[in-house]
Amino acid sequence: MDKSQKRWLVISLGISFAVLFVMLILTFDTSTLDELRKCNPWIILLALVMHIFSLGFWALRIKFMCRSLGYRVPFFHSFNLVCSNMFLASVTPSQIGGEPVRVYELTKADVPGGEATAVVIMERVFDAVVLAAGTVISVFLLGMFFADLAFPEAYMIIAYIAAFVFAALLLLFLIVAKNQAWSNKVINKLLHLLGRKKSPDIIREYQRKIDIHLEKFYATLRHFTGKSKAGMFYGLLFSALYWINEFVIASVLMIGLGLPPNVLLAFIFMILITVIMMIPLTPGGVGIAEVSMGGFFALIIPTSLLGVFVLLWRLIMYYFNLVIGFAASMIIVRREAKIKKDDPVNM
């Protein structure tokens, strides 16, 4: 872990600890201990197991998308790269730090760089499709069926903005995906702008490599939307399974705390919270996640248990990701160290 990653980790943990501490102080009262006696630790453990299953769905998405392109990626390799991805995603804004890890690990499974990049980008597209559809449906349902909750107008505005951002990003991707010449032109201009201090030979070499990867990327996109429609199907299927399973975890935690689950409303809240967390304001969405979770679920969870509920949710969805992500990253580091040691060139 380099200094930049350590700094992001310290910042994200600091923000999360501070927000959770304040939330617990503000919501903990004399009735909290009485309410906690009703909780079922096995149900709470079930929520953690469900999250692990979600990571499995993600790994299967990668595995089957790569298979549709003709590449065999072992499930456990895919699962480990997903877990390793979670570590960097948890300490970078909008979780963008995980993409390079997934691309790199796919290349280690003999998936060419262009195809690996296309798979990772298509994952984001599938997530955007599922979440954008869920956001539109959620906002519609909140307006149609939950007006009696006096839902705060500020949250509705945030939901609309989040839906618009997702739609805009999806539209931008579709424009880029359909116009290879335009993409080449923009990237080459950026390359020359950023590499003004480098020699022309180095710029041309970078440009040649980028053009090769872009060609492979667009070939892969054409493959996904053409004869490899199975990759599109599995991508959307496992994306839906992943997000549905993740959103149900909140209801399972409510049951574990002895509360009625209120599945539909909790599901809608989770979609909106997830979309809000995608806005790149803080590393891993820390602070934003806790405040959004508390703000939305305060409508259906007693104040005495709200802080405990948010804490349990973050332990599963954030701190567990850090732990399992760090362990998976260490597996990769040890593998790379062994490869370097066994490489005759370095001996």
Side-chain angles (χ1 to χ4, degrees):
M1 187 187 301
D2 58 32
K3 292 182 179 180
S4 176
Q5 292 171 352
K6 289 180 180 178
R7 184 172 64 253
W8 280 116
L9 178 61
V10 171
I11 291 173
S12 59
L13 286 175
I15 295 173
S16 182
F17 283 150
V19 174
L20 285 173
F21 178 76
V22 171
M23 190 170 292
L24 284 171
I25 291 296
L26 293 177
T27 60
F28 199 91
D29 57 30
T30 55
S31 63
T32 300
L33 293 177
D34 294 332
E35 294 291 337
L36 287 177
R37 293 191 182 96
K38 303 175 185 177
C39 77
N40 186 332
W42 293 107
I43 300 296
I44 295 173
L45 180 62
L46 173 62
L48 175 61
V49 173
M50 289 177 65
H51 180 54
I52 296 173
F53 268 89
S54 292
L55 300 180
F57 289 141
W58 191 343
L60 287 171
R61 177 174 69 178
I62 293 175
K63 175 182 174 64
F64 280 101
M65 287 177 66
C66 290
R67 176 182 290 184
S68 72
L69 296 174
Y71 304 103
R72 299 282 178 175
V73 179
F75 173 77
F76 288 107
H77 182 87
S78 181
F79 187 81
N80 192 74
L81 77 86
V82 166
C83 293
S84 179
N85 150 90
M86 297 304 292
F87 181 78
L88 281 179
S90 297
V91 296
T92 52
S94 194
Q95 303 181 352
I96 59 174
E99 273 73 5
V101 174
R102 302 208 298 278
V103 172
Y104 176 78
E105 281 300 288
L106 284 177
T107 61
K108 286 296 181 178
D110 298 326
V111 180
E115 283 86 340
T117 301
V119 168
V120 171
I121 291 179
M122 287 302 292
E123 284 188 279
R124 278 280 185 169
V125 173
F126 294 143
D127 288 337
V129 169
V130 172
L131 291 174
T135 302
V136 172
I137 294 172
S138 298
V139 172
F140 175 77
L141 289 177
L142 284 170
M144 287 287 293
F145 302 109
F146 300 108
D148 58 321
L149 287 175
F151 199 72
E153 186 177 347
Y155 289 128
M156 292 298 293
I157 293 174
I158 293 174
Y160 279 116
I161 292 174
F164 173 78
V165 170
F166 260 105
L169 291 175
L170 188 58
L171 178 61
L172 177 62
F173 173 81
L174 292 175
I175 293 173
V176 172
K178 287 187 176 182
N179 196 330
Q180 182 176 352
W182 181 82
S183 299
N184 274 310
K185 186 177 180 180
V186 171
I187 290 176
N188 287 333
K189 282 188 175 181
L190 287 174
L191 182 61
H192 282 85
L193 180 64
L194 296 174
R196 287 178 297 181
K197 296 182 179 180
K198 296 185 179 295
S199 70
D201 291 338
I202 294 177
I203 295 296
R204 280 193 293 269
E205 179 62 19
Y206 283 158
Q207 185 173 334
R208 184 186 66 82
K209 291 181 179 180
I210 289 173
D211 289 342
I212 291 173
H213 285 299
L214 272 178
E215 181 59 40
K216 290 182 179 179
F217 168 71
Y218 276 99
T220 305
L221 285 183
R222 290 191 291 270
H223 200 99
F224 273 125
T225 56
K227 61 182 180 180
S228 183
K229 289 185 173 63
M232 298 283 287
F233 169 76
Y234 285 120
L236 285 171
L237 172 64
F238 286 113
S239 295
L241 289 174
Y242 171 84
W243 288 112
I244 290 172
N245 193 59
E246 289 286 87
F247 295 156
V248 171
I249 288 175
S251 295
V252 174
L253 284 176
M254 292 173 68
I255 295 173
L257 290 173
L259 301 169
N262 207 332
V263 178
L264 179 58
L265 195 53
F267 195 89
I268 293 172
F269 287 168
M270 287 309 307
I271 292 177
L272 298 177
I273 291 167
T274 301
V275 174
I276 293 170
M277 287 175 60
M278 291 293 181
I279 302 173
L281 298 177
T282 60
V286 293
I288 296 173
E290 290 85 354
V291 172
S292 298
M293 197 74 176
F296 279 102
F297 280 86
L299 298 172
I300 56 177
I301 291 181
T303 302
S304 58
L305 285 177
L306 183 61
V308 176
F309 170 77
V310 175
L311 173 63
L312 289 173
W313 181 72
R314 287 305 271 168
L315 284 174
I316 293 173
M317 307 299 292
Y318 179 69
Y319 292 99
F320 176 77
N321 286 348
L322 287 177
V323 173
I324 195 173
F326 181 78
S329 298
M330 288 301 99
I331 292 175
I332 294 174
V333 169
R334 289 180 180 178
R335 181 198 68 202
E336 293 300 307
K338 186 177 185 300
I339 292 174
K340 186 176 181 180
K341 182 180 178 180
D342 295 339
D343 189 351
V345 176
N346 296 313
M347 292 182 65

